[in-house]
Structures are given as structure tokens and as C-alpha cells.
PDB file of all heavy atoms in Angstrom:
ATOM      1  N   LEU A   1       7.054  -2.797  34.508  1.00  0.00           N
ATOM      2  CA  LEU A   1       7.345  -1.393  34.940  1.00  0.00           C
ATOM      3  C   LEU A   1       8.731  -0.870  34.311  1.00  0.00           C
ATOM      4  O   LEU A   1       8.815   0.173  33.899  1.00  0.00           O
ATOM      5  CB  LEU A   1       7.368  -1.250  36.461  1.00  0.00           C
ATOM      6  CG  LEU A   1       7.864   0.229  37.038  1.00  0.00           C
ATOM      7  CD1 LEU A   1       7.112   1.295  36.347  1.00  0.00           C
ATOM      8  CD2 LEU A   1       7.750   0.209  38.524  1.00  0.00           C
ATOM      9  N   ARG A   2       9.704  -1.843  34.469  1.00  0.00           N
ATOM     10  CA  ARG A   2      10.880  -1.517  33.864  1.00  0.00           C
ATOM     11  C   ARG A   2      10.958  -1.329  32.394  1.00  0.00           C
ATOM     12  O   ARG A   2      11.594  -0.542  31.812  1.00  0.00           O
ATOM     13  CB  ARG A   2      12.057  -2.565  34.228  1.00  0.00           C
ATOM     14  CG  ARG A   2      12.442  -2.442  35.717  1.00  0.00           C
ATOM     15  CD  ARG A   2      13.473  -3.465  36.151  1.00  0.00           C
ATOM     16  NE  ARG A   2      12.902  -4.869  36.323  1.00  0.00           N
ATOM     17  CZ  ARG A   2      13.365  -5.921  35.680  1.00  0.00           C
ATOM     18  NH1 ARG A   2      14.444  -5.879  34.909  1.00  0.00           N
ATOM     19  NH2 ARG A   2      12.827  -7.084  35.944  1.00  0.00           N
ATOM     20  N   GLU A   3      10.017  -1.990  31.763  1.00  0.00           N
ATOM     21  CA  GLU A   3       9.784  -1.867  30.390  1.00  0.00           C
ATOM     22  C   GLU A   3       9.193  -0.468  30.011  1.00  0.00           C
ATOM     23  O   GLU A   3       9.529   0.177  29.091  1.00  0.00           O
ATOM     24  CB  GLU A   3       8.983  -2.992  29.821  1.00  0.00           C
ATOM     25  CG  GLU A   3       9.683  -4.427  29.688  1.00  0.00           C
ATOM     26  CD  GLU A   3       8.711  -5.578  29.288  1.00  0.00           C
ATOM     27  OE1 GLU A   3       7.500  -5.390  29.494  1.00  0.00           O
ATOM     28  OE2 GLU A   3       9.233  -6.568  28.958  1.00  0.00           O
ATOM     29  N   ALA A   4       8.219  -0.172  30.825  1.00  0.00           N
ATOM     30  CA  ALA A   4       7.631   1.180  30.729  1.00  0.00           C
ATOM     31  C   ALA A   4       8.612   2.283  30.988  1.00  0.00           C
ATOM     32  O   ALA A   4       8.553   3.294  30.317  1.00  0.00           O
ATOM     33  CB  ALA A   4       6.416   1.285  31.749  1.00  0.00           C
ATOM     34  N   ILE A   5       9.618   2.185  31.895  1.00  0.00           N
ATOM     35  CA  ILE A   5      10.570   3.107  32.065  1.00  0.00           C
ATOM     36  C   ILE A   5      11.496   3.235  30.844  1.00  0.00           C
ATOM     37  O   ILE A   5      11.898   4.239  30.491  1.00  0.00           O
ATOM     38  CB  ILE A   5      11.360   2.767  33.395  1.00  0.00           C
ATOM     39  CG1 ILE A   5      10.546   2.922  34.629  1.00  0.00           C
ATOM     40  CG2 ILE A   5      12.669   3.601  33.420  1.00  0.00           C
ATOM     41  CD1 ILE A   5      11.236   2.364  35.958  1.00  0.00           C
ATOM     42  N   CYS A   6      11.766   1.980  30.253  1.00  0.00           N
ATOM     43  CA  CYS A   6      12.586   2.099  29.033  1.00  0.00           C
ATOM     44  C   CYS A   6      11.849   2.995  27.904  1.00  0.00           C
ATOM     45  O   CYS A   6      12.394   3.660  27.279  1.00  0.00           O
ATOM     46  CB  CYS A   6      12.816   0.718  28.579  1.00  0.00           C
ATOM     47  SG  CYS A   6      13.903  -0.352  29.616  1.00  0.00           S
ATOM     48  N   ARG A   7      10.570   2.698  27.769  1.00  0.00           N
ATOM     49  CA  ARG A   7       9.739   3.459  26.889  1.00  0.00           C
ATOM     50  C   ARG A   7       9.790   4.904  27.195  1.00  0.00           C
ATOM     51  O   ARG A   7       9.926   5.823  26.235  1.00  0.00           O
ATOM     52  CB  ARG A   7       8.348   2.899  26.845  1.00  0.00           C
ATOM     53  CG  ARG A   7       8.156   1.530  26.286  1.00  0.00           C
ATOM     54  CD  ARG A   7       6.638   1.283  25.936  1.00  0.00           C
ATOM     55  NE  ARG A   7       5.849   1.152  27.094  1.00  0.00           N
ATOM     56  CZ  ARG A   7       5.632   0.154  27.901  1.00  0.00           C
ATOM     57  NH1 ARG A   7       6.250  -1.035  27.578  1.00  0.00           N
ATOM     58  NH2 ARG A   7       4.901   0.157  28.995  1.00  0.00           N
ATOM     59  N   LYS A   8       9.689   5.220  28.465  1.00  0.00           N
ATOM     60  CA  LYS A   8       9.667   6.605  28.856  1.00  0.00           C
ATOM     61  C   LYS A   8      10.990   7.320  28.532  1.00  0.00           C
ATOM     62  O   LYS A   8      11.183   8.477  27.950  1.00  0.00           O
ATOM     63  CB  LYS A   8       9.435   6.784  30.402  1.00  0.00           C
ATOM     64  CG  LYS A   8       9.597   8.169  30.992  1.00  0.00           C
ATOM     65  CD  LYS A   8      10.912   8.241  31.612  1.00  0.00           C
ATOM     66  CE  LYS A   8      11.153   9.660  32.133  1.00  0.00           C
ATOM     67  NZ  LYS A   8      11.406  10.554  31.110  1.00  0.00           N
ATOM     68  N   PHE A   9      12.114   6.615  28.779  1.00  0.00           N
ATOM     69  CA  PHE A   9      13.429   7.141  28.583  1.00  0.00           C
ATOM     70  C   PHE A   9      13.592   7.383  27.014  1.00  0.00           C
ATOM     71  O   PHE A   9      14.223   8.385  26.660  1.00  0.00           O
ATOM     72  CB  PHE A   9      14.600   6.218  28.991  1.00  0.00           C
ATOM     73  CG  PHE A   9      14.941   6.306  30.463  1.00  0.00           C
ATOM     74  CD1 PHE A   9      15.042   5.358  31.315  1.00  0.00           C
ATOM     75  CD2 PHE A   9      15.297   7.589  31.035  1.00  0.00           C
ATOM     76  CE1 PHE A   9      15.470   5.455  32.714  1.00  0.00           C
ATOM     77  CE2 PHE A   9      15.724   7.824  32.255  1.00  0.00           C
ATOM     78  CZ  PHE A   9      15.812   6.759  33.179  1.00  0.00           C
ATOM     79  N   LYS A  10      13.156   6.459  26.262  1.00  0.00           N
ATOM     80  CA  LYS A  10      13.242   6.626  24.797  1.00  0.00           C
ATOM     81  C   LYS A  10      12.465   7.817  24.320  1.00  0.00           C
ATOM     82  O   LYS A  10      12.864   8.609  23.532  1.00  0.00           O
ATOM     83  CB  LYS A  10      12.950   5.486  24.064  1.00  0.00           C
ATOM     84  CG  LYS A  10      13.098   5.379  22.574  1.00  0.00           C
ATOM     85  CD  LYS A  10      14.576   5.535  22.278  1.00  0.00           C
ATOM     86  CE  LYS A  10      14.847   5.486  20.762  1.00  0.00           C
ATOM     87  NZ  LYS A  10      16.210   5.695  20.549  1.00  0.00           N
ATOM     88  N   ARG A  11      11.184   7.955  24.679  1.00  0.00           N
ATOM     89  CA  ARG A  11      10.283   8.868  24.355  1.00  0.00           C
ATOM     90  C   ARG A  11      10.635  10.421  24.774  1.00  0.00           C
ATOM     91  O   ARG A  11      10.689  11.251  23.959  1.00  0.00           O
ATOM     92  CB  ARG A  11       8.935   8.699  24.888  1.00  0.00           C
ATOM     93  CG  ARG A  11       7.785   9.631  24.661  1.00  0.00           C
ATOM     94  CD  ARG A  11       6.515   9.444  25.437  1.00  0.00           C
ATOM     95  NE  ARG A  11       6.855   9.736  26.845  1.00  0.00           N
ATOM     96  CZ  ARG A  11       6.067   9.257  27.852  1.00  0.00           C
ATOM     97  NH1 ARG A  11       5.142   8.419  27.599  1.00  0.00           N
ATOM     98  NH2 ARG A  11       6.449   9.624  29.028  1.00  0.00           N
ATOM     99  N   ASP A  12      11.108  10.536  26.023  1.00  0.00           N
ATOM    100  CA  ASP A  12      11.353  11.892  26.647  1.00  0.00           C
ATOM    101  C   ASP A  12      12.775  12.219  26.620  1.00  0.00           C
ATOM    102  O   ASP A  12      13.080  13.421  26.641  1.00  0.00           O
ATOM    103  CB  ASP A  12      10.847  11.817  27.999  1.00  0.00           C
ATOM    104  CG  ASP A  12       9.314  11.592  28.251  1.00  0.00           C
ATOM    105  OD1 ASP A  12       8.629  11.790  27.174  1.00  0.00           O
ATOM    106  OD2 ASP A  12       8.851  11.294  29.332  1.00  0.00           O
ATOM    107  N   ASN A  13      13.675  11.328  26.588  1.00  0.00           N
ATOM    108  CA  ASN A  13      15.096  11.688  26.790  1.00  0.00           C
ATOM    109  C   ASN A  13      16.071  11.107  25.745  1.00  0.00           C
ATOM    110  O   ASN A  13      17.313  11.286  25.813  1.00  0.00           O
ATOM    111  CB  ASN A  13      15.510  10.995  28.132  1.00  0.00           C
ATOM    112  CG  ASN A  13      14.595  11.331  29.343  1.00  0.00           C
ATOM    113  OD1 ASN A  13      13.769  10.600  29.683  1.00  0.00           O
ATOM    114  ND2 ASN A  13      14.709  12.628  29.837  1.00  0.00           N
ATOM    115  N   ASN A  14      15.547  10.513  24.699  1.00  0.00           N
ATOM    116  CA  ASN A  14      16.360   9.986  23.572  1.00  0.00           C
ATOM    117  C   ASN A  14      17.435   8.912  24.102  1.00  0.00           C
ATOM    118  O   ASN A  14      18.598   8.965  23.717  1.00  0.00           O
ATOM    119  CB  ASN A  14      16.953  10.998  22.811  1.00  0.00           C
ATOM    120  CG  ASN A  14      17.636  10.601  21.513  1.00  0.00           C
ATOM    121  OD1 ASN A  14      17.216   9.576  20.860  1.00  0.00           O
ATOM    122  ND2 ASN A  14      18.725  11.203  21.021  1.00  0.00           N
ATOM    123  N   LEU A  15      17.009   8.178  25.066  1.00  0.00           N
ATOM    124  CA  LEU A  15      17.888   7.181  25.788  1.00  0.00           C
ATOM    125  C   LEU A  15      17.445   5.831  25.524  1.00  0.00           C
ATOM    126  O   LEU A  15      16.175   5.450  25.866  1.00  0.00           O
ATOM    127  CB  LEU A  15      18.066   7.496  27.334  1.00  0.00           C
ATOM    128  CG  LEU A  15      18.672   8.847  27.659  1.00  0.00           C
ATOM    129  CD1 LEU A  15      18.608   8.974  29.177  1.00  0.00           C
ATOM    130  CD2 LEU A  15      20.158   8.837  27.242  1.00  0.00           C
ATOM    131  N   THR A  16      18.265   4.937  24.986  1.00  0.00           N
ATOM    132  CA  THR A  16      17.823   3.513  24.827  1.00  0.00           C
ATOM    133  C   THR A  16      18.441   2.669  25.939  1.00  0.00           C
ATOM    134  O   THR A  16      19.647   2.494  25.963  1.00  0.00           O
ATOM    135  CB  THR A  16      18.391   3.072  23.457  1.00  0.00           C
ATOM    136  OG1 THR A  16      17.822   3.918  22.381  1.00  0.00           O
ATOM    137  CG2 THR A  16      18.050   1.602  23.197  1.00  0.00           C
ATOM    138  N   TYR A  17      17.541   2.111  26.705  1.00  0.00           N
ATOM    139  CA  TYR A  17      17.928   1.227  27.868  1.00  0.00           C
ATOM    140  C   TYR A  17      17.160  -0.063  27.664  1.00  0.00           C
ATOM    141  O   TYR A  17      16.084  -0.138  27.047  1.00  0.00           O
ATOM    142  CB  TYR A  17      17.590   1.811  29.155  1.00  0.00           C
ATOM    143  CG  TYR A  17      18.432   3.014  29.624  1.00  0.00           C
ATOM    144  CD1 TYR A  17      17.905   4.072  29.938  1.00  0.00           C
ATOM    145  CD2 TYR A  17      19.846   2.764  29.785  1.00  0.00           C
ATOM    146  CE1 TYR A  17      18.730   5.162  30.304  1.00  0.00           C
ATOM    147  CE2 TYR A  17      20.675   3.782  30.080  1.00  0.00           C
ATOM    148  CZ  TYR A  17      20.142   5.130  30.429  1.00  0.00           C
ATOM    149  OH  TYR A  17      20.840   6.209  30.841  1.00  0.00           O
ATOM    150  N   SER A  18      17.780  -1.139  28.288  1.00  0.00           N
ATOM    151  CA  SER A  18      16.992  -2.483  28.302  1.00  0.00           C
ATOM    152  C   SER A  18      16.581  -2.561  29.725  1.00  0.00           C
ATOM    153  O   SER A  18      17.072  -1.969  30.726  1.00  0.00           O
ATOM    154  CB  SER A  18      17.948  -3.566  27.925  1.00  0.00           C
ATOM    155  OG  SER A  18      18.394  -3.443  26.649  1.00  0.00           O
ATOM    156  N   PRO A  19      15.548  -3.435  30.102  1.00  0.00           N
ATOM    157  CA  PRO A  19      15.148  -3.634  31.507  1.00  0.00           C
ATOM    158  C   PRO A  19      16.316  -3.996  32.388  1.00  0.00           C
ATOM    159  O   PRO A  19      16.185  -3.595  33.555  1.00  0.00           O
ATOM    160  CB  PRO A  19      14.044  -4.770  31.342  1.00  0.00           C
ATOM    161  CG  PRO A  19      13.560  -4.565  29.901  1.00  0.00           C
ATOM    162  CD  PRO A  19      14.765  -4.159  29.089  1.00  0.00           C
ATOM    163  N   ASN A  20      17.342  -4.653  32.011  1.00  0.00           N
ATOM    164  CA  ASN A  20      18.401  -5.079  32.822  1.00  0.00           C
ATOM    165  C   ASN A  20      19.208  -3.836  33.238  1.00  0.00           C
ATOM    166  O   ASN A  20      20.186  -3.967  34.065  1.00  0.00           O
ATOM    167  CB  ASN A  20      19.196  -6.124  32.330  1.00  0.00           C
ATOM    168  CG  ASN A  20      20.071  -5.800  31.105  1.00  0.00           C
ATOM    169  OD1 ASN A  20      19.725  -4.820  30.318  1.00  0.00           O
ATOM    170  ND2 ASN A  20      21.096  -6.506  30.841  1.00  0.00           N
ATOM    171  N   GLN A  21      18.894  -2.661  32.594  1.00  0.00           N
ATOM    172  CA  GLN A  21      19.716  -1.473  33.025  1.00  0.00           C
ATOM    173  C   GLN A  21      18.877  -0.638  33.835  1.00  0.00           C
ATOM    174  O   GLN A  21      19.358   0.503  34.148  1.00  0.00           O
ATOM    175  CB  GLN A  21      19.992  -0.770  31.699  1.00  0.00           C
ATOM    176  CG  GLN A  21      21.025  -1.452  30.802  1.00  0.00           C
ATOM    177  CD  GLN A  21      21.210  -0.645  29.487  1.00  0.00           C
ATOM    178  OE1 GLN A  21      20.511  -0.824  28.515  1.00  0.00           O
ATOM    179  NE2 GLN A  21      22.341   0.185  29.508  1.00  0.00           N
ATOM    180  N   ILE A  22      17.712  -1.017  34.330  1.00  0.00           N
ATOM    181  CA  ILE A  22      16.772  -0.221  35.112  1.00  0.00           C
ATOM    182  C   ILE A  22      16.690  -0.883  36.498  1.00  0.00           C
ATOM    183  O   ILE A  22      16.638  -2.062  36.722  1.00  0.00           O
ATOM    184  CB  ILE A  22      15.398  -0.176  34.463  1.00  0.00           C
ATOM    185  CG1 ILE A  22      15.423   0.241  33.023  1.00  0.00           C
ATOM    186  CG2 ILE A  22      14.438   0.648  35.266  1.00  0.00           C
ATOM    187  CD1 ILE A  22      15.996   1.649  32.887  1.00  0.00           C
ATOM    188  N   VAL A  23      16.711  -0.079  37.581  1.00  0.00           N
ATOM    189  CA  VAL A  23      16.326  -0.401  38.858  1.00  0.00           C
ATOM    190  C   VAL A  23      15.374   0.473  39.529  1.00  0.00           C
ATOM    191  O   VAL A  23      15.537   1.740  39.509  1.00  0.00           O
ATOM    192  CB  VAL A  23      17.602  -0.471  39.797  1.00  0.00           C
ATOM    193  CG1 VAL A  23      17.252  -1.066  41.250  1.00  0.00           C
ATOM    194  CG2 VAL A  23      18.658  -1.404  39.220  1.00  0.00           C
ATOM    195  N   VAL A  24      14.230  -0.094  39.990  1.00  0.00           N
ATOM    196  CA  VAL A  24      13.168   0.702  40.633  1.00  0.00           C
ATOM    197  C   VAL A  24      13.466   0.757  42.112  1.00  0.00           C
ATOM    198  O   VAL A  24      13.788  -0.346  42.703  1.00  0.00           O
ATOM    199  CB  VAL A  24      11.761   0.028  40.353  1.00  0.00           C
ATOM    200  CG1 VAL A  24      10.729   0.876  41.149  1.00  0.00           C
ATOM    201  CG2 VAL A  24      11.570   0.029  38.821  1.00  0.00           C
ATOM    202  N   SER A  25      13.363   1.852  42.764  1.00  0.00           N
ATOM    203  CA  SER A  25      13.644   2.024  44.185  1.00  0.00           C
ATOM    204  C   SER A  25      12.569   2.700  44.975  1.00  0.00           C
ATOM    205  O   SER A  25      11.606   3.242  44.330  1.00  0.00           O
ATOM    206  CB  SER A  25      15.032   2.787  44.381  1.00  0.00           C
ATOM    207  OG  SER A  25      16.063   2.043  43.686  1.00  0.00           O
ATOM    208  N   THR A  26      12.628   2.825  46.304  1.00  0.00           N
ATOM    209  CA  THR A  26      11.846   3.405  47.037  1.00  0.00           C
ATOM    210  C   THR A  26      12.079   5.071  47.042  1.00  0.00           C
ATOM    211  O   THR A  26      12.691   5.487  48.073  1.00  0.00           O
ATOM    212  CB  THR A  26      11.697   2.909  48.509  1.00  0.00           C
ATOM    213  OG1 THR A  26      11.528   1.465  48.468  1.00  0.00           O
ATOM    214  CG2 THR A  26      10.745   3.507  49.398  1.00  0.00           C
ATOM    215  N   GLY A  27      11.759   5.616  46.009  1.00  0.00           N
ATOM    216  CA  GLY A  27      12.094   7.041  45.811  1.00  0.00           C
ATOM    217  C   GLY A  27      13.340   7.334  45.110  1.00  0.00           C
ATOM    218  O   GLY A  27      14.307   6.483  45.313  1.00  0.00           O
ATOM    219  N   ALA A  28      13.556   8.404  44.492  1.00  0.00           N
ATOM    220  CA  ALA A  28      14.775   8.695  43.762  1.00  0.00           C
ATOM    221  C   ALA A  28      15.934   8.796  44.830  1.00  0.00           C
ATOM    222  O   ALA A  28      17.133   8.650  44.474  1.00  0.00           O
ATOM    223  CB  ALA A  28      14.633  10.001  42.932  1.00  0.00           C
ATOM    224  N   LYS A  29      15.677   9.144  46.003  1.00  0.00           N
ATOM    225  CA  LYS A  29      16.758   9.285  47.019  1.00  0.00           C
ATOM    226  C   LYS A  29      17.392   8.011  47.229  1.00  0.00           C
ATOM    227  O   LYS A  29      18.710   7.887  47.311  1.00  0.00           O
ATOM    228  CB  LYS A  29      16.202   9.845  48.262  1.00  0.00           C
ATOM    229  CG  LYS A  29      17.379  10.201  49.380  1.00  0.00           C
ATOM    230  CD  LYS A  29      16.679  10.651  50.736  1.00  0.00           C
ATOM    231  CE  LYS A  29      16.168  11.950  50.500  1.00  0.00           C
ATOM    232  NZ  LYS A  29      15.769  12.625  51.931  1.00  0.00           N
ATOM    233  N   GLN A  30      16.663   6.945  47.272  1.00  0.00           N
ATOM    234  CA  GLN A  30      17.273   5.612  47.440  1.00  0.00           C
ATOM    235  C   GLN A  30      18.041   5.178  46.189  1.00  0.00           C
ATOM    236  O   GLN A  30      19.193   4.616  46.242  1.00  0.00           O
ATOM    237  CB  GLN A  30      16.265   4.482  47.667  1.00  0.00           C
ATOM    238  CG  GLN A  30      16.956   3.117  48.016  1.00  0.00           C
ATOM    239  CD  GLN A  30      16.015   1.917  48.188  1.00  0.00           C
ATOM    240  OE1 GLN A  30      14.834   2.072  47.852  1.00  0.00           O
ATOM    241  NE2 GLN A  30      16.475   0.896  48.916  1.00  0.00           N
ATOM    242  N   SER A  31      17.548   5.625  45.012  1.00  0.00           N
ATOM    243  CA  SER A  31      18.335   5.319  43.781  1.00  0.00           C
ATOM    244  C   SER A  31      19.686   5.999  43.802  1.00  0.00           C
ATOM    245  O   SER A  31      20.758   5.395  43.548  1.00  0.00           O
ATOM    246  CB  SER A  31      17.582   5.818  42.507  1.00  0.00           C
ATOM    247  OG  SER A  31      16.274   5.337  42.407  1.00  0.00           O
ATOM    248  N   ILE A  32      19.704   7.206  44.300  1.00  0.00           N
ATOM    249  CA  ILE A  32      20.985   7.964  44.357  1.00  0.00           C
ATOM    250  C   ILE A  32      21.958   7.308  45.434  1.00  0.00           C
ATOM    251  O   ILE A  32      23.150   7.121  45.254  1.00  0.00           O
ATOM    252  CB  ILE A  32      20.746   9.408  44.812  1.00  0.00           C
ATOM    253  CG1 ILE A  32      20.005  10.120  43.542  1.00  0.00           C
ATOM    254  CG2 ILE A  32      21.950  10.278  45.168  1.00  0.00           C
ATOM    255  CD1 ILE A  32      19.389  11.478  44.033  1.00  0.00           C
ATOM    256  N   ALA A  33      21.356   6.926  46.568  1.00  0.00           N
ATOM    257  CA  ALA A  33      22.118   6.360  47.617  1.00  0.00           C
ATOM    258  C   ALA A  33      22.708   4.992  47.115  1.00  0.00           C
ATOM    259  O   ALA A  33      23.864   4.647  47.416  1.00  0.00           O
ATOM    260  CB  ALA A  33      21.262   6.108  48.939  1.00  0.00           C
ATOM    261  N   ASN A  34      21.935   4.195  46.430  1.00  0.00           N
ATOM    262  CA  ASN A  34      22.353   2.942  45.945  1.00  0.00           C
ATOM    263  C   ASN A  34      23.553   3.164  44.985  1.00  0.00           C
ATOM    264  O   ASN A  34      24.654   2.479  45.148  1.00  0.00           O
ATOM    265  CB  ASN A  34      21.309   2.337  45.000  1.00  0.00           C
ATOM    266  CG  ASN A  34      20.150   1.676  45.932  1.00  0.00           C
ATOM    267  OD1 ASN A  34      20.324   1.410  47.091  1.00  0.00           O
ATOM    268  ND2 ASN A  34      19.109   1.297  45.210  1.00  0.00           N
ATOM    269  N   ILE A  35      23.505   4.134  44.133  1.00  0.00           N
ATOM    270  CA  ILE A  35      24.555   4.374  43.149  1.00  0.00           C
ATOM    271  C   ILE A  35      25.874   4.756  43.837  1.00  0.00           C
ATOM    272  O   ILE A  35      27.026   4.248  43.558  1.00  0.00           O
ATOM    273  CB  ILE A  35      24.174   5.494  42.076  1.00  0.00           C
ATOM    274  CG1 ILE A  35      22.954   4.938  41.291  1.00  0.00           C
ATOM    275  CG2 ILE A  35      25.207   5.969  41.301  1.00  0.00           C
ATOM    276  CD1 ILE A  35      22.158   6.032  40.642  1.00  0.00           C
ATOM    277  N   ALA A  36      25.678   5.691  44.868  1.00  0.00           N
ATOM    278  CA  ALA A  36      26.914   6.203  45.608  1.00  0.00           C
ATOM    279  C   ALA A  36      27.494   5.021  46.369  1.00  0.00           C
ATOM    280  O   ALA A  36      28.767   4.793  46.397  1.00  0.00           O
ATOM    281  CB  ALA A  36      26.562   7.267  46.533  1.00  0.00           C
ATOM    282  N   LEU A  37      26.661   4.166  46.990  1.00  0.00           N
ATOM    283  CA  LEU A  37      27.243   3.077  47.674  1.00  0.00           C
ATOM    284  C   LEU A  37      27.819   1.941  46.917  1.00  0.00           C
ATOM    285  O   LEU A  37      28.827   1.297  47.485  1.00  0.00           O
ATOM    286  CB  LEU A  37      26.189   2.419  48.591  1.00  0.00           C
ATOM    287  CG  LEU A  37      25.720   3.317  49.745  1.00  0.00           C
ATOM    288  CD1 LEU A  37      24.346   2.724  50.395  1.00  0.00           C
ATOM    289  CD2 LEU A  37      26.772   3.530  50.875  1.00  0.00           C
TER     290      LEU A  37
END
């Protein structure tokens, strides 16, 4: 899944990420909370 997210970022956003730069969470709200915390 993290590899699929990397492909999506490259295809749609011109962003190059590796799987170790991706974290999947229980909704984008948790992603935002994680980052803030």
C-alpha cells in the first residue's frame, strides 16, 4: 500500500517519496494529529 501511495504521489502530484516516508493512518484526521503531536 505504501508503494501504491508513492506511485500515486508521483503520478498525481509530481512528488517522489519512498515507502519509509509514508505512514497510513485511520483517516486523514489521525495523520494530521500524528504530525502535530
